[in-house]
Amino acid sequence: MLASGRQALRFPSFPDQDTPEGINKALLLHFFPSTPPPADTPLTLSPYPEYFPLSQEEIALALSKSSNTSAPGPDSISYDVWKQVHRSCPSLLTNLLSPLLRYGHHPASLKKANGIVLDKPGKASYDTPASFRVIVLLETLSKILERVVASRLSLLPRHVGLLHPHQTGSLPGLSTFDATSTLVHEVRLLQRLGSKVSSLFLDIKGGFDNVDPGQLTSALRAKGAHKYLTAWVGSFLTNRMCRPLFQGSPRIFLPVAVGTP
């Protein structure tokens, strides 16, 4: 008897690349287009006076939103480990991550990621990078701090005008359901007034993949975001490294200059 299991992942094979290293670079160039190198990080960092201290409760909340089954990044440390660490010694992660916010800096050791390369089903051929997709797995310790910063930033957009008043996604207490309800309400209201109504939907492809760190931090500064948060966001997004993982991958970390991890 033959047992049929899951179909094996396809090996990326591109006509103009005949080595694993060449395929590695081709995939990274496709998923993360190159840009001019960012400005060098200053060798001496200074603390930001307006820094708001990191609390043990913020760490606990970030961990509570992290799934133990989520695949970890290059360090292979799962969220379950960090949860146990925080329960046994709540001050450890707080003291470890607080200086990063205070100085607006994200260290290189937390900027490495694994890029799991998967083939897209149903393609006529698999001889171009576009026939594949990548799932980026970040360091779990980095993602804990990322959740804390995201929570702090979520309180800012409405106050300083970073988002449109009708923005609903990616904000606390607002979701796709709210957007749908608002659209239905507006349509029915106009129909009752005898108007003809139509809706136009746009899907922006690869928006997050092409975020420029310099432009993003400039927008945050112009809108009056806290300096320590702006500095950390800029540091978090620059000088990142990723290694694509596929059959035969050389497991080489290469620089990533664009996009939001």
Side-chain angles (χ1 to χ4, degrees), residues 36-67:
D40 293 334
T41 303
L43 297 178
T44 302
L45 299 172
S46 301
Y48 288 88
E50 78 279 13
Y51 156 71
F52 188 76
L54 189 62
S55 69
Q56 297 177 10
E57 291 73 22
E58 285 181 293
I59 298 293
L61 180 60
L63 285 170
S64 69
K65 296 180 179 179
S66 304
S67 173

Side-chain angles (χ1 to χ4, degrees), residues 75-112:
D75 61 7
S76 301
I77 301 177
S78 68
Y79 287 115
D80 184 50
V81 173
W82 294 123
K83 290 178 181 179
Q84 294 183 45
V85 168
H86 194 62
R87 282 194 295 268
S88 60
C89 184
S91 62
L92 193 150
L93 284 177
T94 308
N95 294 337
L96 183 64
L97 297 177
S98 287
L100 303 185
L101 285 185
R102 185 184 180 194
Y103 286 85
H105 177 68
H106 203 64
S109 59
L110 297 181
K111 293 184 181 181
K112 293 183 178 180

